[in-house]
Amino acid sequence: MTEDSQRNFRSVYYEKVGFRGVEEKKSLEILLKDDRLDIEKLCTFSQRFPLPSMYRALVWKVLLGILPPHHESHAQVMLYRKEQYCDVLHALKVVRCVTEATPQVEVYLRMYQLESGKLPRSPSFPLEPEDEVFLAIAKAVEEMVEDSVDCYWIIRCFVNQLNNKYREFLPQLPKAFEQYLNLEDSRLLSHLKTCSALSKLPYDLWFKRCFAGCLPESSLQRVWDKVVSGSCKILVFVAVEILLTFKIKVMALNSAEKITKFLENVSMLFSNLILNLERKSFGKPDFFIASHSFSDIFTL
Amino acid sequence: MAQQANIGELVSMLDSPVLSVRDDVTAVFKENLNSDRGPMLVNTLVDYYLETSSQPVLHILTTLQEPHDKHLLDKMNDCVGRAASRLPALSLLGHVIRLQPPWKHKLSQAPLLPSLLKCLKVDTDVIVLTTGVLVLITMLPMIPQSGKQHLHDFFDIFGRLSSWCLKKPGHVTEIYLVHLHASVYALFHRLYGMYPCNFVSFLRSHYSMKENLDTFEEVVRPMMEHVRIHPELVTGSKDHELDPRRWKRLETHDVVIECAKISLDPTEASYEDGDSVSPQVSAHFPHRAADVAASPYVDTQNSCGSATSTPYSSSRLTLLNTPGQPPQTLSPPSTRLLTEPPQATLWSPSMVCGMTTPPTSPGNVPPDLSHPYSKVFGPTAGGKGTPLGTPATSPPPAPLCHPDDYVHPSVLQATATPPRKEERTDSARPCLHRQHHLPNDRGLEELSGSKGSVTLSDLPGFLGDLASEEDSVEKDKEEAAISKELSEITTADAELLVPRGGFDSPFYRDSLPGCPRKTHSAASVAHGTSVNPEPLNSSLDKLGPDAPKQAFTPIDLPCGGTSESPAGNRERQASLETNILTPSPCKIPPQRGVGLGSGQPPPYEHLFEVALPKTAHHFVGKKTKELLKKAKGNAEEDRAPSTSPVEILDRLIQQGADAHSKELNRLSLPSKSVDWTHFGGSPPSDEIRTLRNQLLLLHNQLLYERFKRQQHALRNRRLLRRVTRAAALEEHNAAMKDQLKLQEKDIQIWKVSLQKEQARNSQLQEQRDTMVTQLHSQIRQLQHDREEFYNQSQELQTKLEDCRNMIAELRLELKKANSKVCHTELLLSQVSQKLSNSESVQQQMEFLNRQLLVLGEVNELYLEQLQNKHSDTTKEVEMMKAAYRKELEKNRSHVLQQNQRLDTSQKRILELESHLAKKDHLLLEQKKYLEDVKLQARGQLQAAESRYEAQKRITQVFELEILDLYGRLEKDSLLKKLEEEKAEAAEAAEERLACCKDGCSDSVTGHNEEAPGHNGETKPPRPAGVRGGGGSRGGGSGELSTPEKPPSQRAGPFGSRWETTTGEPAASIPTTVGSLPSSKSFLGRKARELFRNKSESQCDEDSVTISSLSETLKTEPGKDPGAEGKAPPSLDGPHPSPPTPDSVGQLHIMDYNETHHEHSEG
């Protein structure tokens, strides 16, 4: 009853009229008001609705396990996290692995490497592909989150989640991508196949980096809301939609290199357009996420 | 300037006689014109042309291209503005326009047009006017839509010029007026053709004014007689005819033809569409012969008749009577034909006399007066006579004419073109003359009316006559007679004429004859010659048979082609044929000649004829028809179709040409000059000027006619194209029809086959029908059978049903029976049981009865006893009762008490139960809370753990770094110490042993210390790199931890020590070394301390503590220093023992992570 009374009495009608997400902020606030946050509910919420940006960092932290579900321990845990951050940073500074001049992203990378015990002996050591991924994601997160401690932790946990939780799924994503593309537009798929571009599509960019550096920040946040809340399949849908949006141009291109190059470059330019279109085309019930959540990802 | 001079030169070179030069210069000019856009060159050319009227320049100017047209027009505008250059400019304009340049549409906008109109309105020079009008007429069809602005100008011009024709302002030569009249006539046609409504309204308004009435009567009305009612007058309106859309469809030649269509004038009219003109004309056609020869005469005669002058008519009657003809006056139309022949006999002398005489100056005339008649008569008689094989009748002049005339037959028969020209000059001349007399006469009349002098144009006419007449002296007599006769007539006539005054057109016809008569009378009076009528009569008699022959035969027969002539014609023909013996071949040529003669005499005419025979034929036809018509009209005494001005002009020209040829013949004669003076006309120079002007006018007229002809040719071409197209279409139609027929045939065939198919189809249908009926009957039968079977089965079914019912009933009955049986059985058994029961009851009864008996006996006994002892028992009983009662009371209260107690206890139980539930709930909550707290704690713990993890990593990194640094240091020192090592080897050996033991125990304790803490678990070996690092660190740490000992000693014995103690192979040394970092070295200790602190703190944080472990941990720091020096066994750890290979394997594995894990788990 208390929840209901707090909620806007019009909320029932909003949904009838077709406005979704009007009450999201309220409901999220209600969710966040619980002591001992319900992670499950938060996950579901995050998958259904776009997170309000003011709560995004908090929800992400909770979902990524940076913060425990209990409010009272938040402060302390955050303190730990901060200390840990400071310690690691200090250590890196002591070891002279990191200096003042080192870019923040790289600092994050070093810290992560240190924590995972993979810190190379020399900073000049060539970067591994996974480090590149980390850098891309770090760059994206850095733009979203202001506080460097939060930032580091989100990056770290996000990457960990990718590496642990999604380890089995990520390699399957290209397959899934092909399948969904076939459903959506088999001609495009066959074109890609004839160009033998299917295997050369920027899967790394799409799936390993989760579109970091590919989509603009606002859309990326919405995509990552889903990724953080535990569904990595969204990446496939986003990729499919990108292809569908640029279908005509892609159809015009014949060589795999050109297509790849085009997709890598062009998605930067037209991502907004893509996202609008994405909103339209993901209205199908068989997608594992309710359709409206997709439409809401991209309503900025 | 140089250029201009150059141009001047070039221009002059244009007229060079050398053809090539001329061509070159022309080419140069054209080039210049193409390159230069300025007006200069054009201006120069125009100037030059105006000066010299050079032909090449004209050619260049007329072919000017688009950009120059403006200059040319401007220049011409200038020139037209100036009076001096007006005429040549106009003629240039005429030339240019007639060629229809592509920019002709610009004319309507050019300032030239208004200035031309203005010039036509104000100028007084007839030549200029005539030229201008012709130019304007030529221009009008090209710019029809511009009429809008200038329409009233056109009308004004027409009004002015038409009045000119009558009023003759200034000193206008008569002969010019003929030209002017002709051009005004053309203008009339054009305006009426193009803008009928406007024009008619103009005419109405203009000639309703009194002062213009005369002009209308004299000039305009005769013109109107030559036009039909324009259809536009009915259908169109003033605005409609000015509508540009109307003109847009029409090309120039279309407009021209349109104008020609409404004309009734045969010279103008076009009857290509079978217009109304032709029937009329064709009706008149047969009479053509008559009018060619006799028209003048007929004219006179009829007009005389109409004049109703009794003296004249009487004389006429006498004349007529002489040939023995009935008086024609009695029945003019019907008898006309009959009267013609005699008329023909009459005409020649008198008419020719009358016409050819220059009537004006009486003083000059007399000597020559007689000549024309004889001359005209002579040649006609001779010329015509000879070819016809009637030389006998020819008068004396015949010999003279012979040279000329003899040519005719052959030439004529050959019908060759060139000779025809000559022929015309001679043989045709008579006819021509006759025709020409009309205009001449008219001119003369006009002159006489206006008291003008003799025109030069007239002169050639009768000069020629004179020339031919000179020899015919013998004719004089006849002529004299004729003149006499005429004088008689004229005397009478003159009286009539005088009161009538003006030669207004209605009386034109009448005046025609009048004039000759008058002149004759004048002549006769002047001469004073006595003329007797007899010669006349005789001559008439003599001529009578002749004249018809000459005049009629040649013309009549060719016209026989038009046999649709009225009966009258045939009559006359018959009558003629009787007279005429001439063979037919000769007929055509004369006709031709006449035809040609009647037209203009330009030299190209024959070419025209050859090139366009049809046109020529038309032309000839037209001519003749016109004449015929005129003749007829005259004969009928109707004055309606007057001679058109064009015709008059034609005749004038013809006469002029004749005269000219004669003149040429006579040029050699010295008497010529005398003649001139003799005639007393204007001095030669003046005449030459006049002649020149006339020539100019003629030329203009000619050009105009040529232009018209071109338009006609254009149209003809178009029509021809249409004809061919129509033919093609017809052919196409025919082909289509053929195809259609074929297709119809096909259709027929198909129809037949269709019918066949239908028949077959019907047959099949019938078959099918029969089959169907058969099958139907079969079906019906079968159905019937089925029905029967069905009924049978139905019956059987009912039977079956009945049986079933019966069976069921029987079954039921059976059941009932069974149940009855059962029931009975049951009853039976019950009954038997009852039976047995009753038996047993009987037995019991018996037994009980016996007992009863026994008891009765006993009772009796007891009663006996009781009675014996009855007294003392009651007291006891009472007491016992009371006791029992009390006891009962007691028990009751007790029960109550017990009940109460039970209640309370039950309450208590309930209470306790609820309490228990509460407790359970509380417990659950507590559990939940605990869980919650646990979770919270775990979260925090995880954070802490991760922090710890990070710390560990940091430490590792630090260690790594430090070890790295040590490694570097050691490397340096190692190199140094290696040399000293050998030298100190001996003493070092002793020390080594002690040291070894020390270090060994030390290390072992360290291990033991640590092992229990970490539970000595086997763990996966650390990466080789770390181990290596550990190895190096081990060396380094030893050095550091025991600074008192030389590093060389430590490094060396370190490995050997393990060898000795454990007896392990050297290969195991690195592993052991790797396992020792923390226990022995300072660094290791430090790290361990750190680690321990951490775990301690963690343990503290965890409220759950593992006491034993923590104790160990707590004691360790204290023990560590001790362990440094000695190696006492730790409290709870296992005893230090020489490290076995196994333990070494255990020991050397050290993983902070695992230990830590253990801690946390513990």
Side-chain angles (χ1 to χ4, degrees), chain A residues 189-203:
Chain A
L189 181 69
S190 61
H191 172 74
L192 288 177
K193 274 182 180 164
T194 50
C195 295
S196 66
L198 196 61
S199 57
K200 293 180 186 168
L201 292 174
Y203 291 129

PDB file of all heavy atoms in Angstrom, chain A residues 189-203:
ATOM      1  N   LEU A 189      22.288 -11.052 -45.400  1.00  0.00           N
ATOM      2  CA  LEU A 189      23.191 -12.075 -44.907  1.00  0.00           C
ATOM      3  C   LEU A 189      23.884 -12.781 -46.060  1.00  0.00           C
ATOM      4  O   LEU A 189      25.098 -12.995 -46.034  1.00  0.00           O
ATOM      5  CB  LEU A 189      22.395 -13.085 -44.078  1.00  0.00           C
ATOM      6  CG  LEU A 189      23.241 -14.198 -43.482  1.00  0.00           C
ATOM      7  CD1 LEU A 189      24.134 -13.638 -42.409  1.00  0.00           C
ATOM      8  CD2 LEU A 189      22.363 -15.287 -42.912  1.00  0.00           C
ATOM      9  N   SER A 190      23.096 -13.101 -47.076  1.00  0.00           N
ATOM     10  CA  SER A 190      23.711 -13.821 -48.197  1.00  0.00           C
ATOM     11  C   SER A 190      24.725 -12.927 -48.895  1.00  0.00           C
ATOM     12  O   SER A 190      25.760 -13.402 -49.361  1.00  0.00           O
ATOM     13  CB  SER A 190      22.643 -14.283 -49.175  1.00  0.00           C
ATOM     14  OG  SER A 190      21.974 -13.165 -49.672  1.00  0.00           O
ATOM     15  N   HIS A 191      24.377 -11.642 -48.938  1.00  0.00           N
ATOM     16  CA  HIS A 191      25.353 -10.715 -49.538  1.00  0.00           C
ATOM     17  C   HIS A 191      26.658 -10.744 -48.761  1.00  0.00           C
ATOM     18  O   HIS A 191      27.741 -10.831 -49.338  1.00  0.00           O
ATOM     19  CB  HIS A 191      24.774  -9.309 -49.542  1.00  0.00           C
ATOM     20  CG  HIS A 191      25.759  -8.254 -49.962  1.00  0.00           C
ATOM     21  ND1 HIS A 191      26.157  -8.094 -51.268  1.00  0.00           N
ATOM     22  CD2 HIS A 191      26.443  -7.326 -49.248  1.00  0.00           C
ATOM     23  CE1 HIS A 191      27.034  -7.121 -51.340  1.00  0.00           C
ATOM     24  NE2 HIS A 191      27.222  -6.627 -50.117  1.00  0.00           N
ATOM     25  N   LEU A 192      26.512 -10.722 -47.447  1.00  0.00           N
ATOM     26  CA  LEU A 192      27.711 -10.748 -46.613  1.00  0.00           C
ATOM     27  C   LEU A 192      28.470 -12.048 -46.828  1.00  0.00           C
ATOM     28  O   LEU A 192      29.692 -12.072 -46.872  1.00  0.00           O
ATOM     29  CB  LEU A 192      27.327 -10.604 -45.143  1.00  0.00           C
ATOM     30  CG  LEU A 192      26.843  -9.213 -44.750  1.00  0.00           C
ATOM     31  CD1 LEU A 192      26.426  -9.201 -43.307  1.00  0.00           C
ATOM     32  CD2 LEU A 192      27.911  -8.181 -44.993  1.00  0.00           C
ATOM     33  N   LYS A 193      27.707 -13.087 -47.001  1.00  0.00           N
ATOM     34  CA  LYS A 193      28.369 -14.375 -47.181  1.00  0.00           C
ATOM     35  C   LYS A 193      29.118 -14.402 -48.495  1.00  0.00           C
ATOM     36  O   LYS A 193      30.224 -14.916 -48.577  1.00  0.00           O
ATOM     37  CB  LYS A 193      27.332 -15.493 -47.144  1.00  0.00           C
ATOM     38  CG  LYS A 193      27.058 -15.949 -45.725  1.00  0.00           C
ATOM     39  CD  LYS A 193      26.059 -17.079 -45.720  1.00  0.00           C
ATOM     40  CE  LYS A 193      25.786 -17.531 -44.305  1.00  0.00           C
ATOM     41  NZ  LYS A 193      24.570 -18.355 -44.227  1.00  0.00           N
ATOM     42  N   THR A 194      28.450 -13.873 -49.524  1.00  0.00           N
ATOM     43  CA  THR A 194      29.127 -13.891 -50.824  1.00  0.00           C
ATOM     44  C   THR A 194      30.382 -13.029 -50.792  1.00  0.00           C
ATOM     45  O   THR A 194      31.347 -13.325 -51.475  1.00  0.00           O
ATOM     46  CB  THR A 194      28.208 -13.377 -51.932  1.00  0.00           C
ATOM     47  OG1 THR A 194      27.656 -12.139 -51.500  1.00  0.00           O
ATOM     48  CG2 THR A 194      27.102 -14.369 -52.238  1.00  0.00           C
ATOM     49  N   CYS A 195      30.318 -11.993 -50.024  1.00  0.00           N
ATOM     50  CA  CYS A 195      31.509 -11.149 -49.924  1.00  0.00           C
ATOM     51  C   CYS A 195      32.516 -11.742 -48.947  1.00  0.00           C
ATOM     52  O   CYS A 195      33.579 -11.181 -48.749  1.00  0.00           O
ATOM     53  CB  CYS A 195      31.145  -9.750 -49.440  1.00  0.00           C
ATOM     54  SG  CYS A 195      30.142  -8.883 -50.589  1.00  0.00           S
ATOM     55  N   SER A 196      32.119 -12.835 -48.338  1.00  0.00           N
ATOM     56  CA  SER A 196      32.913 -13.471 -47.289  1.00  0.00           C
ATOM     57  C   SER A 196      33.278 -12.459 -46.216  1.00  0.00           C
ATOM     58  O   SER A 196      34.364 -12.472 -45.666  1.00  0.00           O
ATOM     59  CB  SER A 196      34.169 -14.120 -47.866  1.00  0.00           C
ATOM     60  OG  SER A 196      35.025 -13.132 -48.365  1.00  0.00           O
ATOM     61  N   ALA A 197      32.345 -11.575 -45.996  1.00  0.00           N
ATOM     62  CA  ALA A 197      32.590 -10.541 -45.000  1.00  0.00           C
ATOM     63  C   ALA A 197      32.014 -10.926 -43.650  1.00  0.00           C
ATOM     64  O   ALA A 197      32.260 -10.256 -42.663  1.00  0.00           O
ATOM     65  CB  ALA A 197      31.956  -9.234 -45.444  1.00  0.00           C
ATOM     66  N   LEU A 198      31.297 -12.024 -43.651  1.00  0.00           N
ATOM     67  CA  LEU A 198      30.594 -12.384 -42.425  1.00  0.00           C
ATOM     68  C   LEU A 198      31.583 -12.666 -41.300  1.00  0.00           C
ATOM     69  O   LEU A 198      31.364 -12.318 -40.147  1.00  0.00           O
ATOM     70  CB  LEU A 198      29.720 -13.603 -42.688  1.00  0.00           C
ATOM     71  CG  LEU A 198      28.670 -13.852 -41.643  1.00  0.00           C
ATOM     72  CD1 LEU A 198      27.722 -12.672 -41.582  1.00  0.00           C
ATOM     73  CD2 LEU A 198      27.903 -15.112 -41.973  1.00  0.00           C
ATOM     74  N   SER A 199      32.676 -13.302 -41.693  1.00  0.00           N
ATOM     75  CA  SER A 199      33.654 -13.660 -40.653  1.00  0.00           C
ATOM     76  C   SER A 199      34.522 -12.473 -40.304  1.00  0.00           C
ATOM     77  O   SER A 199      35.219 -12.484 -39.302  1.00  0.00           O
ATOM     78  CB  SER A 199      34.514 -14.809 -41.161  1.00  0.00           C
ATOM     79  OG  SER A 199      35.124 -14.423 -42.368  1.00  0.00           O
ATOM     80  N   LYS A 200      34.471 -11.474 -41.150  1.00  0.00           N
ATOM     81  CA  LYS A 200      35.382 -10.350 -40.912  1.00  0.00           C
ATOM     82  C   LYS A 200      34.689  -9.142 -40.321  1.00  0.00           C
ATOM     83  O   LYS A 200      35.268  -8.069 -40.257  1.00  0.00           O
ATOM     84  CB  LYS A 200      36.043  -9.953 -42.231  1.00  0.00           C
ATOM     85  CG  LYS A 200      36.954 -11.033 -42.733  1.00  0.00           C
ATOM     86  CD  LYS A 200      37.594 -10.638 -44.018  1.00  0.00           C
ATOM     87  CE  LYS A 200      38.399 -11.790 -44.592  1.00  0.00           C
ATOM     88  NZ  LYS A 200      38.811 -11.546 -45.955  1.00  0.00           N
ATOM     89  N   LEU A 201      33.479  -9.311 -39.986  1.00  0.00           N
ATOM     90  CA  LEU A 201      32.771  -8.185 -39.367  1.00  0.00           C
ATOM     91  C   LEU A 201      33.452  -7.835 -38.046  1.00  0.00           C
ATOM     92  O   LEU A 201      34.070  -8.700 -37.420  1.00  0.00           O
ATOM     93  CB  LEU A 201      31.313  -8.554 -39.129  1.00  0.00           C
ATOM     94  CG  LEU A 201      30.488  -8.717 -40.396  1.00  0.00           C
ATOM     95  CD1 LEU A 201      29.105  -9.213 -40.044  1.00  0.00           C
ATOM     96  CD2 LEU A 201      30.379  -7.418 -41.143  1.00  0.00           C
ATOM     97  N   PRO A 202      33.289  -6.617 -37.630  1.00  0.00           N
ATOM     98  CA  PRO A 202      34.016  -6.215 -36.400  1.00  0.00           C
ATOM     99  C   PRO A 202      33.386  -6.808 -35.136  1.00  0.00           C
ATOM    100  O   PRO A 202      32.850  -6.106 -34.315  1.00  0.00           O
ATOM    101  CB  PRO A 202      33.918  -4.696 -36.441  1.00  0.00           C
ATOM    102  CG  PRO A 202      32.721  -4.409 -37.238  1.00  0.00           C
ATOM    103  CD  PRO A 202      32.602  -5.488 -38.232  1.00  0.00           C
ATOM    104  N   TYR A 203      33.484  -8.121 -35.026  1.00  0.00           N
ATOM    105  CA  TYR A 203      32.897  -8.781 -33.858  1.00  0.00           C
ATOM    106  C   TYR A 203      33.608  -8.346 -32.583  1.00  0.00           C
ATOM    107  O   TYR A 203      33.004  -8.233 -31.527  1.00  0.00           O
ATOM    108  CB  TYR A 203      33.017 -10.300 -33.997  1.00  0.00           C
ATOM    109  CG  TYR A 203      32.150 -10.853 -35.091  1.00  0.00           C
ATOM    110  CD1 TYR A 203      32.665 -11.687 -36.059  1.00  0.00           C
ATOM    111  CD2 TYR A 203      30.793 -10.532 -35.144  1.00  0.00           C
ATOM    112  CE1 TYR A 203      31.876 -12.195 -37.062  1.00  0.00           C
ATOM    113  CE2 TYR A 203      29.996 -11.029 -36.138  1.00  0.00           C
ATOM    114  CZ  TYR A 203      30.526 -11.867 -37.103  1.00  0.00           C
ATOM    115  OH  TYR A 203      29.730 -12.361 -38.094  1.00  0.00           O
TER     116      TYR A 203
END
